[in-house]
């Protein structure tokens, strides 16, 4: 199998037909499996029930990803943008090549980090970020992103309104509830936690106002929360309606 | 009453007028009553206050459903698709005939399963699934389903975005909260429970982050939850708007 | 002041100008005050701090309402529909006259019911229902009601989908959680309480699944809850969009 | 630097180019920093870790704002509306000049109020309201406000429906739950707290009905809550759709 054939198998933009090549399909499935393994590995009860399983799987995935990485590096010379040795260097520091490297490095870093629980968790998170490699194969999000982008000005404005409401309701609750519940409302940053849970209508209930005035402002905040949900929803609905209508009027556009 | 008359009474597609035949209306009400009985039967206090009531009702419903099943099997020969003995066999394994059988079988299985509480509950669930038999009589959902189907691509994409956000917020909370609350955030699958309650803005509050960094990421997740609600709502709003407009422009289409 | 002048002051449909007559405006404000008094009267601490206030206010309101009722009865003869003695009788049993009577009767029933706390509360509720008398003066809701009505078929269908989802998720949780939490999930009707709180994304958190399988189905239910919110919202958005567009195209229609 | 040059730097409406002058950009950043400082200052742990930091920063911000205030007062004579000494007086009592003064005054009031914790918190809130000064520089909200305003009638109507539902569900819960939970449902105003948390789908869960009838009405309230969210969202979606469509048809309008 020569360099050009490998390149055609690996680079999605080099294919004439639609869809992914067989090799890329296999790689995509492997990425999904590797991410799923990384997710399940975080569960201590699963790690304990099969201590040898996760390191073994991890080694297999990393070996395959290293081979894939080297094949990509070898065949990338076919791409006119990355011809020659200096092209190879430029490829190594291109966005998707760095993402590919990020899928391999955590394995080797794992041998160095053992005793710090936080770093161990961070490394496991990096393994899950392999999922980002799938982005290489996908152009599907563009339609959704376009609709969002066409109304980004209105969406940012409504985010600004939401931010001001968040701040304002935190301040109100801080003023009226701080004396009764200093732990939860003793400062504006503390009151923000309650405020964001209420304005987004999540409403955990771990912190709730207990004074009559606090409940009054909390009620106003909850009602304002409906607006916080209604505004971006309305904007998005209008944006999608617009996009669908354009498509119907100019189906080839 | 001959075979053809029974067939016309039982098969909704054989009727010339709109609406259901008298017999099918009676059967529909019986299905509703049988499902309601199955639901109420699960309540131990009701079972205790009238121990003889539920088995008696159950026997009556099953006897009626068996008679109906046999009548359908007898008269189905009128349908050109199921003519002859081999047609009868094919009918028995057709979708709606199996659904009808599912409404009868749990009764007889109930005599065998007594000591396993989980199986008893599962059998009661099967009785409630009789409700699915009503699907035989209904073509009403098609309009709603069409609007959903016409935008299935965008809906799947937004489900994908929601899935990635779910995973990402679980990972973040796992990294920053696992040390403080190993029981609730000690692994990504555990953090998923909190994450799904927050992103859908349900917000049970049985599990909430307690560290400052955890609360920060939780706030971001709650805000992202608004997008998770706004996107499908916006897509559906646009889809319905489209469908209603088409209808107005081409009322007979 | 003769009968015709009283009639013109009391009947909103008899006025030529837009808006309410001075007398009806005064009555409207009195109705609002009487309802507010009825609401505040339910609070025991307020009742205790001014024991004489609420009965006195109540007596004043009822005296005014009785005078108004008698004036309406006296002047209704001007309305061609209610002319003569038999017309008066028909008026007494007309919808709005009964609503007016409902605003007066609880006062006299209050003297009879003293020792039954539940009936006392029910009587207070009846006093609050005086608010319904305002409906006599208002034609404002028709626009909103039209938009809702034009899509009532789709809204009922989505209510049906919501009902089936509610039932289905209750059944699932009953099957998998009944053993672990018989108090909260021991029957389908009990599980409904959790199910409705989750599907509407209210999420009180007083009852939550604790088994892994229960959490899995609860997650699915929470996600389905987004659809339950998105569907009627989308339908209403499309209905309002339709109504606004019609108005713009035919401003006089 | 003469008076006219200062005026051109300070007054956004005097600039020919789009965007803010360099001086106004600096002031805008200072306002943001001063508000952020005021927010963080409320946190006792931050105050304790650097007791000298917040008063120092506060003094710096106030000195800059005083200089800015005096420069504005000095240069406002360039504006034809505020020419001469009487113009200066009129400017001092204009809206934005009062807002500017509000950003300075809390500093001096702070020296007088020391022992009353509530007043100290209120003063800190006033410092945060400096954020309102940014409104002087912004005309961005007009588009969003127009869409809201064009449908204000429908939005007010749906707010009225929400208010009636709120009252009605409070009354229902008061009647059926007051006996079981007098602390939480012992009066209609008390029941309002539960009712608003449920209708907005926040659902704290600090107060939930425990009787079967109470749960039944609570379920109805939760379902009605979906409508409370769906109505304004639908109205806004239609309003935005309208506004976007107008823009597309008349891009210069």
């Amino acid at each position: 199998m020569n360099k050009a054939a490998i390149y055609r198998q690996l680079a999605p933009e080099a294919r004439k037909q639609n869809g992914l090549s067989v090799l890329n399909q296999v790689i995509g499935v492997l990425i999904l499996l590797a991410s799923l393994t990384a997710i399940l590995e975080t569960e201590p009860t699963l790690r304990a029930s099969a201590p040898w399983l996760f390191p073994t799987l991890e080694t297999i995935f990393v070996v395959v990803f290293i081979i894939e990485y080297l094949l990509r590096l070898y065949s990338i010379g076919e791409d006119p943008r990355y011809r020659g040795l200096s092209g190879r260097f430029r490829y190594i520091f291109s966005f998707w090549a760095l993402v590919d490297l990020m899928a391999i490095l955590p394995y080797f870093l794992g041998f160095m980090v053992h005793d710090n629980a936080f770093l161990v968790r961070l490394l496991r998170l990096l393994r899950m970020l392999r999922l980002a490699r799938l982005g290489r194969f996908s152009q599907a999000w563009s339609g959704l992103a376009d609709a969002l982008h066409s109304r980004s000005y209105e969406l940012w404005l409504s985010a600004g309104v939401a931010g001001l409401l968040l701040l304002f309701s935190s301040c109100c609750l801080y003023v009226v509830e701080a004396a009764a519940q200093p732990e939860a409302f003793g400062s504006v940053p503390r009151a923000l936690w309650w405020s964001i849970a209420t304005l987004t209508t999540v409403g955990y209930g771990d912190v709730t106002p207990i004074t009559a005035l606090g409940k009054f402002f909390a009620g106003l905040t909850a009602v304002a929360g409906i607006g916080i949900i209604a505004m971006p929803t309305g904007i998005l609905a209008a944006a999608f309606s617009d996009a669908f209508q354009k498509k119907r009027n100019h189906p080839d556009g």
Side-chain angles (χ1 to χ4, degrees), chain A residues 214-238:
Chain A
K215 285 183 175 183
F216 174 73
F217 282 115
L220 290 185
T221 305
V223 171
I226 292 178
I228 296 300
I229 289 179
M231 272 213 305
T233 307
I235 292 168
L236 281 182

Side-chain angles (χ1 to χ4, degrees), chain A residues 149-168:
Chain A
H149 191 73
S150 70
R151 294 298 157 200
S152 58
Y153 177 73
E154 280 86 3
L155 289 172
W156 277 113
L157 267 189
S158 68
V161 174
L164 287 181
L165 271 174
L166 199 64
L167 210 61
F168 187 70

Side-chain angles (χ1 to χ4, degrees), chain A residues 68-202:
Chain A
E68 183 210 346
Y69 185 82
L70 294 176
L71 277 178
R72 280 188 194 278
L73 194 61
Y74 166 68
S75 67
I76 199 68
E78 294 292 310
D79 187 330
R81 286 174 299 167
Y82 300 114
R83 227 179 281 280
L85 198 70
S86 72
R88 293 265 153 74
F89 261 104
R90 260 180 298 121
Y91 172 73
I92 287 174
F93 294 100
S94 73
F95 180 72
W96 288 117
L98 287 173
V99 170
D100 288 355
L101 202 63
M102 284 275 289
I104 300 167
L105 277 191
Y107 181 75
F108 299 102
L109 290 173
F111 292 118
M112 288 181 272
V113 186
H114 268 299
D115 42 356
N116 186 323
F118 182 79
L119 284 180
V120 166
R121 287 202 300 273
L122 210 64
L123 270 182
R124 285 198 195 121
L125 182 63
L126 279 177
R127 274 183 216 157
M128 281 170 248
L129 289 181
R130 282 166 187 171
L131 216 53
R133 290 195 55 204
L134 289 174
R136 188 195 269 270
F137 307 135
S138 165
Q139 283 99 28
W141 312 94
S142 67
L144 216 61
D146 277 1
L148 286 174
H149 191 73
S150 70
R151 294 298 157 200
S152 58
Y153 177 73
E154 280 86 3
L155 289 172
W156 277 113
L157 267 189
S158 68
V161 174
L164 287 181
L165 271 174
L166 199 64
L167 210 61
F168 187 70
S169 86
S170 304
C171 290
C172 288
L173 264 286
Y174 160 67
V175 170
V176 300
E177 282 277 330
Q181 300 188 77
E183 196 55 49
F185 293 99
S187 74
V188 175
R190 288 178 194 198
L192 265 174
W193 172 241
W194 167 86
S195 193
I196 207 161
T198 301
L199 265 181
T200 58
T201 78
V202 168

Side-chain angles (χ1 to χ4, degrees), chain A residues 11-30:
Chain A
E13 61 271 23
R15 271 171 71 84
K16 258 139 205 110
Q17 309 101 295
N18 272 330
L20 292 173
S21 68
V22 178
L23 187 53
N24 274 334
Q25 281 176 21
V26 170
I27 292 170
V29 171
L30 277 177

